[in-house]
Amino acid sequence: MTQAELVVVANRLPVDRVVDGSGEHTWRRSPGGLVTALEPVMRRADGAWVGWPGQADIEVEPFEFEGTHLVPVALSAEEIELYYEGMSNDTFWPLYHDVIAAPRYRRVWWEAYVRVNRRFAEAAAAAAAPGATVWVQDYQLQLVPRMLREARPDLTIGYFHHIPFPAYGLYSQLPWRRQVLEGLLGADVIGFQRAADAGNFARAVRRQLRYTTKASGIAVPNPDGTTRNALAKAFPISIDTASYVELARRPEIRARAAEIREELGNPRKILLGVDRLDYTKGIRHRLKAFGELLSDGRLSVEDVTLVQVASPSRERVEAYVQLRDEIELMVGRVNGDFDTTGHTAIRYLHQAYPREEMVALFLAADVMLVTALRDGMNLVAKEYVAARGDNRGVLLLSEFAGASDELSSAVRINPHDIDGLKDAIVRAVTMPAAEQGRRMRAMRRKVIENDVAQWSKSFLAALAAAGTANRAIRIDA
């Protein structure tokens, strides 16, 4: 097998397996910020990417794709059900999102999670050159750093946690809390979206493992009696800003934005929500607030339309099936009460759209509603800001989304406070152009300066420094 100086380990490969026009299976690059961020780095380093190819029970040999060596990890249908749908998305996801939905703890899920994490770790160890850097991505693979450390102590290992890390009072529910902390501490750098997440992690380590923590460093004992330093720190992720800026300038996309307004009956203001259909996103709170504003007479269906894009998500998980039913019932009730023959209160779109259509929607929308109850970052907020080169539009942003730490000029809201959310929506709808411009310019500066390339660069620089320091400890020992 080709051995690489930089290995990325993620639940999914950066490609999708598709059937071409001749009926043959081929590979297409996946959309997504992580792929965009790491592509140039991987090419420079002749990197390898370890991940599941996206379909159950298929065995695929390692292959090259656009300058990156891809190492598929096969998963059975049962493993997808237990490790991914079960442990990852019915245990860790709700627990780490403040128990908005009740997490379920099942030993058979945990056992599958350990098995699959070990398979990913073994694939990464085989793909990594001597002294290489391995960067593990996200909550599906929290045990991989320690497994790699034990198999390949020569490696520099990083881990990035894309979702929130909960306060200790919640985290302590997890029956396997020590194993997960020990798994993550196999890394030289553990990155989080927010400083609060890094702090929650450090407190959990102190409470459970009794390790010494100072600033963002954690003293982790080595088997030989020495101690290495694991850096736990915030590295807020961002987007490929330049691609959104470029798309928003295209005449055909600007024309599509005007067409969208026309299709909606040319309302005075368009409100927009763009989310995966997930209980963490606060979609119900947003619909409730909008429905009450119509009922109160503070907004009228002739003047204001809400467009809600809710892309399908985890449709085999019961909590998501129930959520879809609730949201569609709410949409039906509001539209039944307030629609006219010429105007629709809520245009609900349960489907995914290509990036070009999303940018057209961003340009058409006067107000972007990000009402997450808990979100690691929420990149949609940054995408909306990047697209608004006209410095118009208003971003309503939940204080419980990581993006609120950076986009301080947004109108911040607490989605649990329905009256406060209603007032914020009215304020956004009536905001003068000068104030819109002032706020949007400040947010655009942040998003342009701190794009996804800067994120990967800063993480890998910290990882290189930490790896060098910890190697020196091993040499001295």
Side-chain angles (χ1 to χ4, degrees):
M1 178 186 287
T2 303
Q3 289 195 312
E5 296 297 329
L6 174 64
V7 178
V8 168
V9 190
N11 179 60
R12 285 290 304 272
L13 288 175
V15 293
D16 296 316
R17 194 167 185 246
V18 295
V19 178
D20 64 17
S22 62
E24 295 294 317
H25 282 103
T26 186
W27 299 96
R28 180 182 62 203
R29 180 167 295 282
S30 303
L34 183 65
V35 177
T36 303
L38 297 181
E39 180 186 12
V41 181
M42 300 289 278
R43 284 186 176 180
R44 284 197 302 272
D46 287 328
W49 189 304
V50 176
W52 173 51
Q55 295 177 18
D57 298 306
I58 61 166
E59 297 279 349
V60 182
E61 291 299 312
F63 62 99
E64 300 293 322
F65 183 87
E66 296 183 1
T68 300
H69 186 66
L70 302 185
V71 182
V73 175
L75 297 178
S76 68
E78 182 184 39
E79 286 170 335
I80 293 164
E81 180 185 346
L82 301 178
Y83 141 81
Y84 183 71
E85 294 175 355
M87 193 70 208
S88 295
N89 292 323
D90 217 353
T91 299
F92 285 126
W93 181 269
L95 177 65
Y96 286 15
H97 286 86
D98 291 355
V99 194
I100 295 166
R104 294 197 293 162
Y105 305 111
R106 296 187 59 196
R107 280 176 291 178
V108 67
W109 291 354
W110 171 253
E111 289 161 2
Y113 186 84
V114 174
R115 283 197 309 275
V116 171
N117 271 241
R118 188 164 302 283
R119 194 176 308 154
F120 274 85
E122 289 168 353
T133 295
V134 179
W135 191 0
V136 183
Q137 305 289 333
D138 221 3
Y139 66 104
Q140 300 96 344
L141 302 173
Q142 294 173 96
L143 306 182
V144 168
R146 179 174 180 171
M147 292 172 173
L148 267 177
R149 175 78 53 198
E150 291 170 348
R152 293 284 306 273
D154 60 301
L155 299 176
T156 296
I157 302 167
Y159 170 88
F160 189 77
H161 197 75
H162 291 257
I163 67 173
F165 196 91
Y168 181 73
L170 295 176
Y171 179 77
S172 60
Q173 293 182 21
L174 184 67
W176 309 281
R177 55 200 182 184
R178 289 181 65 90
Q179 293 96 313
V180 169
L181 295 175
E182 289 167 349
L184 293 172
L185 287 170
D188 296 288
V189 176
I190 305 110
F192 297 92
Q193 299 282 23
R194 310 179 81 167
D197 296 322
N200 286 342
F201 174 74
R203 279 187 287 277
V205 169
R206 286 198 301 272
R207 294 285 295 274
Q208 277 295 314
L209 305 179
R210 307 296 181 189
Y211 293 170
T212 301
T213 65
K214 293 181 180 177
S216 51
I218 298 170
V220 182
N222 288 321
D224 61 6
T226 61
T227 300
R228 63 183 178 83
N229 190 61
L231 180 69
K233 184 182 172 185
F235 295 88
I237 198 170
S238 192
I239 61 169
D240 178 21
T241 309
S243 70
Y244 283 90
V245 171
E246 189 273 326
L247 282 170
R249 288 175 176 160
R250 289 188 191 174
E252 69 272 21
I253 289 180
R254 301 180 77 82
R256 175 60 187 145
E259 192 177 80
I260 288 169
R261 294 193 75 96
E262 183 77 26
E263 290 171 355
L264 293 170
N266 280 318
R268 191 169 61 85
K269 298 288 181 178
I270 295 173
L271 313 182
L272 175 64
V274 175
D275 312 87
R276 279 190 312 104
L277 188 60
D278 193 290
Y279 49 74
T280 64
K281 302 299 184 182
I283 300 172
R284 286 173 291 200
H285 299 63
R286 173 185 322 167
L287 298 178
K288 180 177 175 61
F290 183 64
E292 288 189 10
L293 285 169
L294 294 175
S295 181
D296 297 343
R298 297 175 69 185
L299 297 180
S300 75
V301 73
E302 289 82 8
D303 288 338
V304 182
T305 293
L306 168 60
V307 177
Q308 177 60 59
V309 177
S311 57
S313 175
R314 300 169 187 162
E315 295 189 292
R316 300 204 310 181
V317 177
E318 179 58 34
Y320 290 79
V321 175
Q322 183 179 341
L323 175 68
R324 179 179 178 182
D325 289 344
E326 291 176 11
I327 287 174
E328 291 179 356
L329 183 62
M330 290 182 76
V331 170
R333 282 178 175 165
V334 172
N335 285 346
D337 287 343
F338 299 105
D339 279 7
T340 67
T341 54
H343 297 88
T344 297
I346 302 172
R347 185 66 62 88
Y348 174 72
L349 306 165
H350 180 60
Q351 51 199 283
Y353 288 95
R355 185 181 292 191
E356 291 80 3
E357 182 73 359
M358 293 312 308
V359 172
L361 278 165
F362 293 152
L363 291 175
D366 302 286
V367 181
M368 184 81 213
L369 300 174
V370 177
T371 57
L373 308 180
R374 191 77 162 92
D375 216 335
M377 177 53 61
N378 195 286
L379 295 178
V380 167
K382 294 186 175 185
E383 291 167 2
Y384 179 71
V385 168
R388 296 310 301 237
D390 58 356
N391 291 317
R392 289 292 178 268
V394 183
L395 174 63
L396 259 63
L397 180 57
S398 168
E399 63 191 68
F400 303 113
S404 68
D405 289 355
E406 297 172 272
L407 304 181
S408 55
S409 295
V411 176
R412 283 166 57 104
I413 53 104
N414 171 4
H416 299 282
D417 176 8
I418 298 298
D419 286 336
L421 177 55
K422 288 161 62 177
D423 290 343
I425 291 172
V426 171
R427 179 183 175 194
V429 166
T430 58
M431 185 177 288
E435 184 180 351
Q436 291 182 35
R438 186 169 64 250
R439 289 172 176 272
M440 191 58 74
R441 278 190 291 272
M443 291 189 288
R444 282 177 59 77
R445 278 196 298 272
K446 287 275 180 68
V447 171
I448 290 168
E449 288 168 7
N450 300 311
D451 66 358
V452 74
Q454 181 60 35
W455 168 76
S456 62
K457 181 180 176 182
S458 63
F459 185 94
L460 289 170
L463 182 55
T468 300
N470 285 329
R471 273 195 300 275
I473 292 170
R474 290 201 303 270
I475 291 168
D476 292 343

